[in-house]
Amino acid sequence: MSLATRLPRLWHTVRHLRPVQIYGRAWHRLHRPRVAHAPAPQMAAFERGWIACERAASMLGPTRFRFLNDEHEIGANDWNSARLAKLWLYNLHYFDDLNAIGSASREHWHRDLIARWIADNPPPAGNGWEPYCLSLRIVNWIKWRCGGQLFGDATRARAALDSLAVQVRFLRGRLERHLLGNHLWANYKALLFAGAFFEGVEAQRWRELGLSGLRGEIAEQILADGGHFERSPMYHAILLEDLLDLVQLALVYPGAFPERDVQSWRDKARAMLSWLAVMTHPDGDIAFFNDAAHGIAATLAQLQAYARALGVEPPPASREPLQMLPQSGYARLQCGEAVLICDVGEIGPDYLPGHAHADTLSFELSLRGKRVLVNAGISRYDIDPERLWQRGTAAHNTVEIDGEDSSEVWSSFRVARRARPRAVAHGREGESLWLSAAHDGYRRLKGRPLHRRRWVLTPRGLRIEDRIEGRFGDAVARLRVHPDFAVDGHEIRCEPGACESGDVRLRWRSEAAGDTLALSRYYPGFGLSRPCSVIETALDPRVGTATLALDWGR
């Protein structure tokens, strides 16, 4: 990227930041809290064992791990190895496997791993001492211990508890106020866990800071419709599990937290469960809007089961055919055997768009329980062209104008100018459901184009009407077809063996300047990639309209 391009993008990125994100970055880079090696406070007594939310195992042997769909053997000095991806190493430091499925059978591995981590990772250098890694590991060690596991003999137990206290003290001085969002939330959650797990004056200070901090974050980050303010279904599910963890923490340590906070956690968890149900396809997994991938967060069914185990009854599934999430900017239309999930909202909070994509007015479609049209998903967080493309408009089922993104995504977690939705409307006409919206993301271009889109869903098909107001050179509307489907002429059919519920076929047609079939990629999870087909429809600049229709009526 040239300097002439970079400087305006940097300005449009920085102008939305809060002051703490600017001066906090400098403070975080320069400040190093003192490493306090004082003995750990006394452990507090807990009244019940920890119940873990179901999670797949990641530790395959004493030194073998699988994270992000990538498997490696770990040597003596690999905690910070340059040969392994940074995000993979972060996962190694999280210790999620301590609370994964079948963890009791790996207890001896876990004890050795904890002892090894303490020996190999003296404070404060390395990946494991970064605040987010500290936060997740502190919580995982405490959950594991509350689940009835032991750190080992008296020597190992004392070393583990002392290390845990050192980690909490260091985290206390490294709160990620410059990042905010889910990172700061995780920091406060870890302080709450440590403040309940230990007793005494020091632990009480941790608990009070975590509690006051989380009150503010919950109020800001959980929207009135129950959604997480970063508008990522994946991160929403992660923070929903966090809230349920807090509900359980209050059960494990009764009286540790004010009842009004515990009730708030329960109420917010129910609202978040309701939101996640709207954003989950009939196959049980999340829709791909903003940063979202399978295999990272717990599924809706897993979170519902976890909630029930804690006495939090999930809200009943809505029977409404059209469900709007007005603050989050999403809509779900369900008609007959079809489910349509659409993005008609902001890309995220202005000061925190790191997980945002240029996906305004994109959508996904499931038919007879099977995903048919999908956004591309994500497979990496690296600063590279693939990550940039995955965040771009061309990776989503919406309209790209003059080769530009609707929101100016750049770097790995940056956005300059952003699309703003407008004129959102919806309704029902007989057996048809309709949704319409527009966005101004392309008004920055020379012809000041404005994209308007209308979806009409019936029991037998879907019609997508696009209109561009203003001048433009080229515009392309895309339909990304799930890899389980093949496109043969104007027919979209499920590949043999891919549709358990029987044959799923659609026909598509368009009223536009021209249609082409392109080959592309679909990224269902980190480190995963599958080939797929994309139907591309060009809009005639002289007309500025296009209609795409899909029929599946029998």
Side-chain angles (χ1 to χ4, degrees), residues 7 67 112 176 299 446 553:
L7 286 177
F67 303 119
D112 290 346
E176 294 174 286
T299 65
K446 186 175 181 180

Side-chain angles (χ1 to χ4, degrees), residues 232-350:
S232 157
M234 181 177 77
Y235 281 94
H236 175 98
I238 291 171
L239 270 70
L240 169 53
E241 184 177 346
D242 287 341
L243 267 185
L244 292 172
D245 282 348
L246 295 178
V247 171
Q248 182 168 190
L249 191 66
L251 296 173
V252 172
Y253 295 98
F257 309 106
E259 183 55 36
R260 68 183 179 94
D261 289 291
V262 179
Q263 189 58 50
S264 169
W265 300 338
R266 297 170 70 89
D267 292 342
K268 295 294 186 183
R270 280 176 54 84
M272 293 182 79
L273 284 165
S274 181
W275 188 97
L276 189 59
V278 175
M279 299 300 294
T280 295
H281 279 278
D283 63 9
D285 276 314
I286 55 173
F288 284 174
F289 294 97
N290 291 320
D291 277 345
H294 296 154
I296 301 297
T299 65
L300 173 63
Q302 290 168 336
L303 290 165
Q304 288 173 331
Y306 186 34
R308 290 190 183 98
L310 304 178
V312 178
E313 187 59 32
S318 174
R319 296 180 178 272
E320 289 296 319
L322 199 159
Q323 299 177 67
M324 300 296 298
L325 300 170
Q327 287 76 33
S328 303
Y330 291 114
R332 180 189 182 99
L333 288 68
Q334 187 157 350
C335 195
E337 299 175 298
V339 171
L340 186 70
I341 305 176
C342 306
D343 182 352
V344 292
E346 303 279 355
I347 61 170
D350 271 337

Side-chain angles (χ1 to χ4, degrees), residues 46 68 136 140 154-155 157 198 232 241 245 249 256 286 288 299 382 405 441 449 465 470 477 498-499 514 530:
F46 50 90
L68 309 174
L136 270 60
N140 277 324
T155 301
F198 291 111
S232 157
E241 184 177 346
D245 282 348
L249 191 66
I286 55 173
F288 284 174
T299 65
D382 307 80
D405 292 322
E465 302 164 357
C499 293
R530 296 180 64 187

Side-chain angles (χ1 to χ4, degrees), residues 32 36 75 93 127 162 325 337 363 442 492 532:
R32 285 294 181 271
H93 286 273
N127 296 316
D162 286 348
L325 300 170
E337 299 175 298
F363 70 97
Y442 294 116
I492 302 172
C532 70

Side-chain angles (χ1 to χ4, degrees), residues 391-404:
R391 298 180 72 206
T393 300
H396 301 85
N397 293 323
T398 187
V399 173
E400 179 188 50
I401 298 179
D402 291 339
E404 297 288 338

Side-chain angles (χ1 to χ4, degrees), residues 373-407:
L373 301 179
V374 290
N375 292 316
I378 57 170
S379 66
R380 59 199 301 118
Y381 276 171
D382 307 80
I383 301 177
D384 63 14
E386 188 171 42
R387 164 70 174 163
L388 190 63
W389 180 86
Q390 289 171 5
R391 298 180 72 206
T393 300
H396 301 85
N397 293 323
T398 187
V399 173
E400 179 188 50
I401 298 179
D402 291 339
E404 297 288 338
D405 292 322
S406 57
S407 293

